[in-house]
Amino acid sequence: MAAALGGLGLLRGRLRLRLGAAAASPPSSSSSSSSSSSSSSSSSSPLGRGAAARAAAGRSYGSEAREEEELRVRYLDDEHKGIVVLGLNRSHAKNALNKNLLKMMSKAVDALKSDKKVRTVIFRSEVPGIFCAGADLKERAKMHSSEVGSFVSKARATINEMANLPVPTIAAIDGTALGGGLELALACDIRVAASSAKMGLVETKLAIIPGAGGTQRLPRTIGVSLAKELIFSARIVDGEEAKSIGLISHVVEQNEAGDAAYRRALALAREFLPQGPVAMRVAKLAINQGMEVDLVTGLAIEEACYAQTIPTKDRIEGLLAFKEKRPPRYKGE
């Protein structure tokens, strides 16, 4: 019991530090400029894809987006304000994870985690028919054996950083997600996939195992026995089967534009926007921390997290809005 209370006190301290960092964070425009992965700061057309789609829509998807960017970071506007989209864009390599892309992802996530104006992050692909093919095996083949372990550690750390983002994260899987690509999606809070999408942890075919969290997050998502079955067999499942086993939360029929999962993810993100920002962050922390401990300790974690929402300005505004029968105007404080 003493150990549990000590851990609870530590949690309270960490939580205060996280909320304090969020409250003192810079506005989203500075976060956009600090990331070398993209120079576009906003998007007026969150559904666009490619030059043809932008021309058809009559407006640019990203204000300064360049075709060669391997990771596109977009802060959406208007009714989507607060939603940030990270788009993988290595078309020549099926979005395979290489050193440069991991570096870009890490910088983008580092900027997002301290930006209190960010409410939800969507991970998607800018390449039709593919989400992420996993690690870049062509690059790995050129690595010295001593470099491989460092690369895998970097991939694991980057995906862990994604998992630890304080705001809700959604993976929009409109195409194939294999190996590290599925591990990336598993690190998100919610996964949405097209029925035609293909997913699997196929590393055992290469005589290795998932090394970026797959052996841990997959069993926590679909259960130990089934996770072992999929990893042992290197089986690939489509969107319908993924939904039936609990690997994804939503499955949608693919559309002509090839972005049905992204559209569904965007609709989900819009559902999150009206809620209290601090409450959303603390709720995610309570759930994530609680799932790693027994129920009694988990309830204590919930109590500590709930206490962090009581003195916030958002809570006062929420109660006042309820009393006055109007939408709340939250500021994330």
Side-chain angles (χ1 to χ4, degrees):
M1 184 64 178
L5 290 174
L8 187 56
L10 181 60
L11 173 67
R12 286 195 177 103
R14 289 177 177 174
L15 186 58
R16 291 191 190 97
L17 287 174
R18 292 185 187 184
L19 293 177
S25 63
S28 59
S29 58
S30 64
S31 295
S32 176
S33 63
S34 67
S35 173
S36 63
S37 58
S38 173
S39 58
S40 71
S41 62
S42 65
S43 169
S44 58
S45 179
L47 300 178
R49 180 196 292 272
R54 290 195 296 272
R59 51 187 179 177
S60 175
Y61 178 54
S63 58
E64 300 177 25
R66 300 189 301 272
E67 292 301 319
E68 69 271 22
E69 291 169 347
E70 293 190 343
L71 181 69
R72 295 179 176 179
V73 182
R74 295 187 174 90
Y75 290 73
L76 304 189
D77 286 330
D78 302 324
E79 71 270 22
H80 301 105
K81 188 174 182 180
I83 301 172
V84 179
V85 180
L86 300 187
L88 303 177
N89 190 44
R90 295 192 73 215
S91 58
H92 63 285
K94 297 183 178 180
N95 288 340
L97 302 173
N98 65 350
K99 291 180 180 179
N100 185 57
L101 183 54
L102 287 174
K103 181 180 179 180
M104 288 180 167
M105 290 169 60
S106 181
K107 286 187 175 181
V109 169
D110 189 57
L112 292 173
K113 68 184 180 182
S114 59
D115 188 345
K116 70 176 181 178
K117 294 187 181 298
V118 176
R119 305 291 298 281
T120 299
V121 177
I122 298 176
F123 291 88
R124 67 168 302 194
S125 169
E126 301 282 343
V127 182
I130 189 75
F131 179 73
C132 175
D136 189 332
L137 298 182
K138 290 183 179 179
E139 181 184 72
R140 183 178 294 189
K142 299 176 183 179
M143 293 181 187
H144 187 273
S145 57
S146 61
E147 297 180 274
V148 175
S150 176
F151 173 80
V152 174
S153 294
K154 177 60 177 177
R156 184 185 304 114
T158 301
I159 290 176
N160 280 340
E161 290 170 7
M162 288 172 42
N164 290 327
L165 276 171
V167 297
T169 55
I170 307 173
I173 309 171
D174 273 305
T176 303
L178 300 178
L182 182 55
E183 289 178 301
L184 187 157
L186 283 167
C188 293
D189 299 314
I190 300 167
R191 286 162 295 284
V192 181
S195 57
S196 58
K198 306 296 182 184
M199 291 157 271
L201 295 180
V202 297
E203 286 86 349
T204 51
K205 284 186 176 181
L206 302 175
I208 57 176
I209 69 169
T215 63
Q216 303 305 306
R217 292 192 175 96
L218 186 62
R220 284 169 166 79
T221 302
I222 65 173
V224 174
S225 182
L226 189 52
K228 288 178 177 178
E229 181 179 330
L230 294 185
I231 292 174
F232 293 166
S233 64
R235 185 183 306 156
I236 297 174
V237 300
D238 62 18
E240 295 290 350
E241 185 175 358
K243 174 65 169 66
S244 70
I245 63 177
L247 179 56
I248 62 176
S249 299
H250 303 274
V251 60
V252 291
E253 289 297 321
Q254 190 56 281
N255 56 27
E256 291 185 7
D259 64 353
Y262 172 62
R263 289 173 181 263
R264 183 70 180 93
L266 198 60
L268 277 174
R270 284 198 301 268
E271 289 186 46
F272 301 160
L273 291 179
Q275 320 313 327
V278 174
M280 295 287 283
R281 292 171 179 246
V282 176
K284 177 171 177 174
L285 179 62
I287 294 169
N288 286 353
Q289 296 282 340
M291 289 303 297
E292 301 301 321
V293 299
D294 61 88
L295 179 59
V296 173
T297 306
L299 290 172
I301 289 172
E302 180 185 76
E303 180 181 5
C305 288
Y306 184 88
Q308 297 300 318
T309 66
I310 293 176
T312 64
K313 293 180 180 179
D314 276 353
R315 179 177 181 273
I316 297 172
E317 166 61 15
L319 293 175
L320 186 61
F322 178 79
K323 180 180 179 181
E324 297 176 354
K325 298 181 180 180
R326 61 169 174 78
R329 295 183 288 270
Y330 294 125
K331 297 182 179 179
E333 300 175 344

